[in-house]
Amino acid sequence: MPAPHGVLESLVTAPDDVVRERAWVDFLAQHSDVLLRVARSMGGGHDAIMDRYAFVLDALRCDNYRRLRAYLPEGRGAFTTWLAVVARRLCMDEHRHRYGRAQSDAREAEAERATRRQ
């Protein structure tokens, strides 16, 4: 299997759709475990986890892999650390999209959010 940066480079520099799709499959083979781990860390049942995972995948593919193109390998952290942070932020976006942002910390507002989640 190619090195992490090799898979990423293949994905973002692919000359056509066929090569790009193959690179995406390779990327997922190498990094799905990180993305699923982050989706699971947010809690919920299997359906909620898979909804978050699908949201993350869609967001990573959006605008010709814009988020993945933003990665700079010169940084100190590993690519998987960067990817986990991006995935966590996307999971939070999915949660906000589904349930909205917390408007208040009051007990009444918390009870209302819990009711919406059910």
Side-chain angles (χ1 to χ4, degrees):
M1 192 173 282
H5 298 303
V7 170
L8 180 61
E9 186 175 339
S10 296
L11 180 63
V12 298
T13 63
D16 59 51
D17 290 342
V18 172
V19 175
R20 190 174 300 110
E21 190 59 32
R22 182 69 223 154
W24 177 245
V25 169
D26 291 343
F27 178 85
L28 291 179
Q30 195 160 1
H31 298 294
S32 272
D33 59 331
V34 172
L35 302 175
L36 279 167
R37 192 174 330 118
V38 172
R40 283 187 197 107
S41 74
M42 304 288 293
H46 178 75
D47 289 345
I49 292 166
M50 296 313 292
D51 286 348
R52 280 193 294 274
Y53 176 71
F55 184 89
V56 168
L57 294 184
D58 287 344
L60 290 176
R61 285 187 81 145
C62 186
D63 295 330
N64 198 22
Y65 307 98
R66 177 182 52 85
R67 284 179 178 84
L68 294 174
R69 290 175 188 280
Y71 174 70
L72 298 174
E74 298 87 35
R76 293 185 217 173
F79 174 71
T80 53
T81 303
W82 178 88
L83 184 61
V85 170
V86 169
R88 175 137 174 91
R89 289 176 181 165
L90 289 169
C91 287
M92 294 299 297
D93 289 347
E94 188 273 343
H95 181 84
R96 288 183 197 115
H97 176 75
R98 186 175 296 238
Y99 302 111
R101 287 186 180 264
Q103 300 298 315
S104 170
D105 288 334
R107 289 182 191 177
E108 188 175 297
E110 180 59 35
E112 182 181 333
R113 283 193 299 276
T115 302
R116 272 198 319 250
R117 280 188 216 122
Q118 292 175 352

